[in-house]
Each structure stands twice: as structure tokens, then as C-alpha cells.
Amino acid sequence: DGGITQSPKYLFRKEGQNVTLSCEQNLNHDAMYWYRQDPGQGLRLIYYSQIVNDFQKGDIAEGYSVSREKKESFPLTVTSAQKNPTAFYLCASSTRRLGATFGSGTRLTVV
Amino acid sequence: GQQLNQSPQSMFIQEGEDVSMNCTSSSIFNTWLWYKQDPGEGPVLLIALYKAGELTSNGRLTAQFGITRKDSFLNISASIPSDVGIYFCAGYPNFGNEKLTFGTGTRLTIIP
């Protein structure tokens, strides 16, 4: 079955550490996205990629980095420069005709 | 960044009531989408709209793409308990730009 997989589901990070969140899709979508969601809030765009080897900053890119070396994969690194990283992170892939399909999310907690 | 403002922020209704919510933007979008999110899950697509003035239904849900291209509306008729959740609008700007922006969300609660 086609879909988008995020891992891990829960992640704990010590302050000052970098962590990488995985996102893989087998939908053959060109575009992929990372969003951050805080409790009771909407989805804020961190980074997006329209094609392999290319990506653009979203509205809250500071403290995050991404890569798009393969069409299927769009990992997100939360760096130590992100001062408030505790949040729910959602990855998506899309075609304009069908809209975005989301993964089930990764909940990151700083301990 | 670009803002999509949804209203109302929250709604408390009784089962069987109809629901209306809307989404407005300061700039034009060429595709509008409506999503529903359950707690702890990713949003799921409900309806997609591609043309100004378009009216599209999906069961008890009906959505419209505003004529100005700066707004969209979602209606839910005869609400049921499983309609509880957060509803988001989202939009793509001009063609060729795949930046997908989400609205602030409308939280729907059904009062027993």
C-alpha cells in the first residue's frame, strides 16, 4: 500500500543535542513538507521540497535543517540552535491534484 | 509568513446541527484544501477545490472556493459524534509554487 512513514513516533532529546526525524514516502510524490504543531495550534511550515536536491525554507526554518537526496526521503534535523524544540512534527508529501498526504507524526520532547 | 485565518477558532454544537466555518487569506490561492485532524494523528484530506467559485461535496461535507480566490468555506450538515476534531484549511499559491500553507484551525466539539 502507498503511504508516508514517519519514525520514531516518540523521541526524547537532551538539551544541546541534534536529532533527526525520518520521513519516507512511496507515493511517487515530487513535493514533501515538514510542519511543526504546538498544543492547540495550527500547522506551521518548517521546510518544503518541490524536487530532489532542492528545498526551500518555510515560515519557521531557524534551528532546523533538511536534505532531499532521494525522492522518497526527506529527513528533518532539529539542531541545538532550536531553542524550543518540544512539539509534534508532521511530514507530508503531495501532488497538487490530490493534495497532501500526512504521516502519523513524531512527538519530540526535550528532557 | 503567509497567513490563513480560520474562523471560528472553536465551536460547541449539539449532534444533528449544521456547522459552517471559513478561511480567509491576504493573498490569492489557486488550490484550496480542507483537512480534519484527530488527536495525535496527521490531518486527513476531506475536500479539494481547484477553481474559483467551485462548490464540491463529500457526503455531508460541502466546500466552496471563493470567487476572489482569497477565501474558502466548509459546511458540515447534520453533525455526528465522529465529526469531532480540528478542521484545517490549506492552500497552494500560484502554479509552480508548491508551498502548502495551513490555516489556524477550527476545533469542533459536540455537546451530548
Side-chain angles (χ1 to χ4, degrees), chain A residues 9 31 33 35 37 39-45 48-50 57-59 88 90 94-105 107, chain B residues 1-2 30-31 33 35 37 39-45 48 50 86 88 92-105 107:
Chain A
K9 193 163 180 67
Y33 307 80
Y35 293 90
Q37 187 174 31
Q41 302 296 313
L43 279 66
R44 292 186 291 168
L45 183 62
Y48 68 107
S49 168
Q50 299 190 178
K57 292 182 179 180
D59 301 316
F88 188 47
L90 286 159
S94 85
T95 66
R96 190 176 281 245
R97 187 174 65 84
L98 298 174
T101 300
F102 280 84
S104 55
R107 191 167 298 279
Chain B
Q2 205 165 33
N30 280 314
T31 302
L33 308 167
Y35 285 83
Q37 184 181 30
E41 299 293 328
V44 174
L45 182 66
Y50 305 103
I86 305 175
F88 291 102
Y92 292 101
N94 50 294
F95 291 106
N97 181 352
E98 299 304 301
K99 181 179 183 181
L100 182 59
T101 299
F102 275 76
T104 47
R107 183 180 295 271

Side-chain angles (χ1 to χ4, degrees), chain B residues 1 6 21 31 33-34 57 62 67-68 75 79 88 96 102 104-105:
Chain B
Q6 276 186 252
M21 60 189 77
T31 302
L33 308 167
W34 283 92
S57 293
T62 302
I67 286 290
T68 65
N75 295 312
S79 58
F88 291 102
F102 275 76
T104 47

Side-chain angles (χ1 to χ4, degrees), chain A residues 3 20 24 27 30 32-33 35 43 45 53 60 73 82 84 87 91 100-101:
Chain A
T20 297
E24 303 278 333
L27 299 166
D30 285 319
M32 294 189 75
Y33 307 80
Y35 293 90
L43 279 66
L45 183 62
N53 293 321
I60 56 164
S73 180
Q82 172 48 242
N84 185 21
C91 178
T101 300

Side-chain angles (χ1 to χ4, degrees), chain B residues 14-49:
Chain B
Q14 292 190 318
E15 185 176 347
E17 287 187 26
D18 296 343
V19 171
S20 292
M21 60 189 77
N22 68 70
C23 189
T24 59
S25 169
S26 57
S27 56
I28 288 173
F29 283 84
N30 280 314
T31 302
W32 284 94
L33 308 167
W34 283 92
Y35 285 83
K36 178 176 183 273
Q37 184 181 30
D38 292 325
E41 299 293 328
V44 174
L45 182 66
L46 300 173
I47 291 180
L49 302 157

